[in-house]
């Protein structure tokens, strides 16, 4: 269902003044959507409109246009996606509908009503063979159905809508939904140790920090600037990690807060085969986003500490 149309303030350069407009966010229960909902007031955007099934169905892209044309949002934030990386190998048609066709339909609908679009993409558009962080200008070469469909989604957005920003991010965790940090903590009370891959390197990213980045872009548009529009940016947590070091840090933070912890045994990817191939190195160089929008996401360690603290605090 779709939440009642709430209002948020955004200035459009074409109008010359501020007006009350809607910001439509795809999905409702995902990590980034829930983080956007939590941080909206802090950034002065008030309530957002969240679209979800049955009116909005990623696997039925034809549902996109009627919803967009009915609500007529000023801006769409496209965060919903098929993120089950291994399952996508068995369900490529469904993954493509959600990750490629749906954002393409959103972008085409946005173009028809004069809306702008922020679209969230992934580090998995790269093959992981580079020995340094990836820049936006580096050649993409996804090795999985998930990565290929997300890359096609980027391409469809670029082809359909000039007024867009694409944010590639990585290794999302938060106090919400399913994610690696929550999974590790759930293992702590049940296992004397856990085996975790340590030869895949990336940038752990708090969904709450990513929400701050989205609102930074929106604030730029609210102030009437179109600088940085029509481009793709890397936007991930500062500092690199492998999955094993991320798990160790989460357990350390939990132990210091009086929560559960266990020992981590680092293993190679070959000891934990998966249906989809993961990039060995998916570090993202986020310098362009920092230079354009004046924001660099915090070091992942502090954000993991905050996430663990929230997960251990009874609601």
């Amino acid at each position: 269902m779709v939440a009642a149309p709430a209002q948020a303030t955004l200035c459009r350069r074409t109008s010359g003044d501020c007006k009350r407009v809607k910001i439509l966010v795809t999905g409702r229960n995902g990590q980034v959507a829930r983080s956007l909902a939590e941080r909206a007031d802090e950034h002065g955007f008030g309530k957002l409109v969240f679209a979800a099934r049955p009116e909005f169905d990623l696997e039925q892209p034809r549902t996109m246009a009627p919803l967009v044309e009915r609500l007529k949002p000023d801006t769409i934030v496209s965060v919903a996606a098929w993120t089950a990386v291994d399952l996508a190998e068995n369900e490529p048609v469904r993954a493509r509908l959600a990750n490629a066709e749906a954002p393409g339909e959103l972008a085409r609908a946005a173009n028809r009503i004069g809306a702008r679009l922020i679209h969230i993409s992934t580090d998995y558009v790269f093959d992981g063979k580079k020995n340094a962080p990836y820049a936006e200008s580096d050649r993409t070469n996804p090795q999985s159905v998930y990565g290929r469909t997300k890359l096609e989604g980027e391409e469809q957005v670029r082809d359909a809508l000039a007024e867009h920003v694409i944010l590639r991010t990585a290794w999302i965790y938060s106090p919400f939904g399913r994610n690696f940090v929550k999974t590790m903590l759930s293992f702590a009370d049940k296992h004397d140790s856990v085996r975790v891959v340590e030869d895949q390197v990336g940038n752990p990213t708090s969904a709450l920090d990513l929400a701050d980045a989205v609102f930074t872009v929106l604030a730029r548009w609210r102030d009437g600037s179109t600088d940085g529009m029509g481009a793709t940016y890397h936007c991930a947590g500062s500092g690199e990690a492998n999955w094993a070091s991320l798990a160790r840090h989460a357990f350390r933070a939990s132990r210091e807060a009086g929560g559960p912890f266990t020992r981590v045994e680092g293993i190679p990817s070959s000891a934990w085969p998966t249906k989809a191939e993961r990039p060995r190195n998916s570090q993202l160089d986020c310098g362009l986003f920092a230079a354009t929008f004046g924001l660099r996401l915090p070091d992942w360690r502090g954000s993991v500490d905050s996430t663990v603290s929230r997960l251990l605090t009874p609601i």
Side-chain angles (χ1 to χ4, degrees):
M1 45 186 307
V2 180
Q7 301 293 318
T9 302
L10 192 68
C11 289
R12 294 300 298 268
R13 168 175 277 187
T14 54
S15 69
D17 58 5
C18 286
K19 61 181 180 178
R20 304 294 288 182
V21 297
K22 292 187 292 289
I23 298 175
L24 176 65
V25 180
T26 65
R28 181 184 297 112
N29 297 318
Q31 295 186 77
V32 181
R34 292 181 66 179
S35 296
L36 288 166
E38 181 169 306
R39 290 286 170 89
D41 283 339
E42 179 180 328
H43 289 272
F45 283 94
K47 294 182 179 179
L48 311 175
V49 180
F50 292 88
R53 291 175 176 170
E55 289 88 350
F56 178 92
D57 189 340
L58 284 175
E59 294 183 40
Q60 298 185 43
R62 291 182 180 180
T63 64
M64 311 288 120
L67 179 66
V68 170
E69 290 167 3
R70 175 165 60 87
L71 294 178
K72 292 183 171 57
D74 189 88
T75 300
I76 302 169
V77 184
S78 169
V79 300
W82 178 297
T83 57
V85 177
D86 290 318
L87 185 58
E89 298 295 315
N90 297 326
E91 300 279 1
V93 174
R94 296 176 64 193
R96 184 176 180 275
L97 285 171
N99 292 343
E101 291 296 328
E105 284 296 313
L106 280 174
R108 288 184 282 274
N111 187 53
R112 286 192 292 272
I113 67 168
R116 294 168 174 171
L117 175 70
I118 298 176
H119 178 61
I120 306 301
S121 190
T122 177
D123 55 330
Y124 278 41
V125 300
F126 298 109
D127 60 19
K129 297 178 182 178
K130 186 179 179 181
N131 293 320
Y134 281 93
E136 291 83 353
S137 58
D138 284 325
R139 184 176 72 93
T140 54
N141 185 30
Q143 300 297 294
S144 63
V145 168
Y146 171 69
R148 288 193 292 273
T149 56
K150 288 294 289 182
L151 179 59
E152 185 180 346
E154 290 185 11
E155 293 165 346
Q156 291 207 28
V157 168
R158 293 188 193 101
D159 289 344
L161 182 66
E163 292 191 326
H164 74 267
V165 161
I166 295 170
L167 301 178
R168 291 179 182 148
T169 193
W171 294 30
I172 293 287
Y173 63 88
S174 72
F176 317 118
R178 295 181 179 179
N179 60 75
F180 180 81
V181 172
K182 289 183 73 174
T183 298
M184 288 297 101
L185 292 183
S186 72
F187 287 165
D189 282 332
K190 304 172 185 176
H191 303 278
D192 293 332
S193 66
V194 292
R195 304 169 73 235
V196 184
V197 169
E198 64 179 354
D199 59 358
Q200 297 172 17
V201 182
N203 305 107
T205 306
S206 162
L208 289 162
D209 292 340
L210 182 61
D212 290 338
V214 170
F215 285 120
T216 297
V217 177
L218 290 172
R220 176 71 62 87
W221 294 349
R222 178 179 60 194
D223 293 340
S225 173
T226 57
D227 292 346
M229 191 178 291
T232 298
Y233 301 91
H234 291 170
C235 188
S238 296
E240 74 280 352
N242 61 58
W243 293 112
S245 64
L246 174 55
R248 290 187 184 104
H249 188 89
F251 288 138
R252 184 179 305 116
S254 180
R255 182 182 67 235
E256 291 174 354
F261 62 93
T262 191
R263 184 175 63 85
V264 175
E265 176 189 351
I267 61 172
S269 299
S270 59
W272 193 269
T274 55
K275 186 77 172 179
E277 182 177 345
R278 269 70 169 172
R280 292 296 181 94
N281 170 44
S282 63
Q283 297 177 75
L284 299 177
D285 181 340
C286 302
L288 180 61
F289 184 85
T292 304
F293 295 100
L295 176 70
R296 190 177 293 276
L297 299 194
D299 186 276
W300 65 268
R301 297 166 186 84
S303 295
V304 167
D305 292 347
S306 298
T307 297
V308 169
S309 178
R310 285 187 59 171
L311 291 171
L312 296 177
T313 302
I315 298 176

